[in-house]
Amino acid sequence: MSNQKQQKPTLTGQRFKTRKRDEKERFDPTQFQESIVQGLNQTGTDLEAVAKFLDSSGAKLDYRRYAETLFDILVAGGMLAPGGALSDDMTRTNFCLFTAPEDVKTMKAYAQVFNKLIRRYKYLEKGFEEEIKKLLLFLKGFSESERNKLAMLTGILLANGSLSASILSSLFNDNLVKDGVSPAFAVKLFKMWINEKDINSVAASLRKVGMDNRLMELFPVNKRSYDHFSKYFTDAGLKELSDFARNQQSLGARKELQKELQEQMSQGVSFKEHYDQLNSLPLVLFLVLSNTAPF
């Protein structure tokens, strides 16, 4: 009698059925794009009909997977290649933000289309912010009119809370700054934003994401001064923004001086030396330090 265990019989030719959810779907936005473009061509310039079409299509089309394609089409009419040009081999529509009239009423209507879409499909929020950041990096690839429309739309969406001010970081891109694209775009954007809200609301949104002290980065390093910033935006009709930058500069100077003096005092600097140092400061810096400056 053998001590070896008898080998169990095995089934041959057995096939295991793969569950659909385990299969990796190939990324192919072509059919998705054709469906969206066809719907937009049918609705035309009726933005109420566009909003309804987008609302109902979300139940049939994979918005989550093809969010970037969806937003490219709504803004530019088709999928965008790197740099901002429309992809040549893709279907496109003439009914989109970039082909719409360049006026405030139309831009507000388009903002409503995006608002309704994102309220209906909350998972699109993050993808939409990423799309706007990408579009801002592509600004050099757009015409002046297209930039203006995008700036107006972005200002409206920032005002109604559909976008975070963190998207402005794309405007600090060196290529955009060097060619003067960033400050020109910022003028259109901030005019719309401030017009929809007010400078206090804008300032609060900027502070919330740490953008309040970065506005100078809209200009090249050799032009990052308050004087240049103030002249540029005041001449463009945005004195409120210039005044805000001045307040931020004063606040920054106050914090730096207070920090320096606190360090000196912690190192044992005598009260007399501390007093003498204050007396040697220009009057404006003394007022800043003593928290009595008139701003």
Side-chain angles (χ1 to χ4, degrees):
M1 190 177 217
S2 174
N3 290 329
Q4 288 184 335
K5 289 185 179 179
Q6 187 176 359
Q7 189 175 3
K8 293 182 180 179
T10 58
L11 295 174
T12 58
Q14 186 176 2
R15 298 177 65 186
F16 295 93
K17 189 176 179 181
T18 305
R19 289 179 299 180
K20 253 189 173 179
R21 66 186 180 191
D22 293 333
E23 294 176 356
K24 190 169 183 180
E25 186 184 349
R26 187 168 66 92
F27 182 80
D28 182 13
T30 306
Q31 188 174 354
F32 177 88
Q33 171 154 315
E34 288 176 353
S35 298
I36 295 295
V37 166
Q38 183 181 8
L40 293 178
N41 286 340
Q42 290 172 352
T43 55
T45 57
D46 183 350
L47 295 184
E48 283 291 334
V50 170
K52 288 177 182 177
F53 161 71
L54 293 172
D55 185 281
S56 61
S57 294
K60 299 172 284 185
L61 301 176
D62 194 348
Y63 280 0
R64 190 185 298 274
R65 186 175 180 80
Y66 298 110
E68 183 178 5
T69 302
L70 173 63
F71 292 129
D72 275 2
I73 297 168
L74 293 176
V75 172
M79 284 182 64
L80 292 170
L86 281 169
S87 299
D88 292 332
D89 57 342
M90 292 290 187
T91 310
R92 62 186 68 174
T93 179
N94 289 322
F95 301 103
C96 62
L97 177 77
F98 281 175
T99 58
E102 188 184 324
D103 60 70
V104 174
K105 182 179 179 181
T106 304
M107 294 304 103
K108 285 186 176 182
Y110 263 95
Q112 279 303 307
V113 171
F114 286 106
N115 286 338
K116 288 176 182 177
L117 177 62
I118 292 167
R119 278 202 304 266
R120 176 70 175 82
Y121 301 101
K122 293 287 286 181
Y123 58 79
L124 288 174
E125 279 184 355
K126 187 171 191 264
F128 185 53
E129 288 210 353
E130 292 304 313
E131 175 74 8
I132 296 296
K133 286 180 182 179
K134 181 192 78 174
L135 292 172
L136 297 189
L137 291 174
F138 287 174
L139 285 178
K140 288 177 69 175
F142 304 148
S143 68
E144 183 179 355
S145 177
E146 289 168 347
R147 291 177 200 167
N148 289 343
K149 293 169 195 173
L150 183 59
M152 293 164 73
L153 175 74
T154 305
I156 294 167
L157 293 171
L158 284 165
N160 64 31
S162 297
L163 286 175
S164 162
S166 61
I167 57 101
L168 297 176
S169 61
S170 291
L171 292 179
F172 305 145
N173 176 272
D174 288 341
N175 289 326
L176 298 176
V177 170
K178 178 181 63 176
D179 292 340
V181 174
S182 292
F185 185 88
V187 166
K188 286 280 184 184
L189 182 153
F190 277 107
K191 275 188 176 180
M192 185 59 67
W193 192 357
I194 293 171
N195 187 57
E196 289 294 297
K197 288 290 188 178
D198 56 48
I199 190 60
N200 293 326
S201 175
V202 171
S205 296
L206 292 172
R207 289 192 186 102
K208 187 176 180 180
V209 293
M211 287 288 161
D212 51 323
N213 292 316
R214 298 192 62 190
L215 295 182
M216 295 291 173
E217 294 177 47
L218 291 167
F219 298 99
V221 175
N222 62 341
K223 293 182 179 178
R224 281 179 198 169
S225 67
Y226 168 70
D227 289 340
H228 180 79
F229 185 99
S230 176
K231 184 175 187 330
Y232 186 93
F233 283 101
T234 300
D235 289 349
L238 282 167
K239 188 176 183 302
E240 309 101 311
L241 194 63
S242 298
D243 291 342
F244 170 71
R246 175 176 66 88
N247 293 341
Q248 290 301 112
Q249 185 187 45
S250 301
L251 182 62
R254 177 186 303 165
K255 287 180 178 178
E256 284 298 315
L257 283 169
Q258 288 176 337
K259 181 181 176 182
E260 183 180 341
L261 290 174
Q262 284 172 355
E263 288 176 354
Q264 290 180 2
M265 292 175 72
S266 68
Q267 293 169 3
V269 176
S270 67
F271 178 79
K272 183 178 183 308
E273 289 174 303
H274 180 65
Y275 181 80
D276 290 341
Q277 184 179 13
L278 286 178
N279 279 339
S280 68
L281 290 173
L283 177 60
V284 65
L285 291 182
F286 178 79
L287 290 173
V288 166
L289 182 63
S290 60
N291 212 22
T292 58
F295 33 70

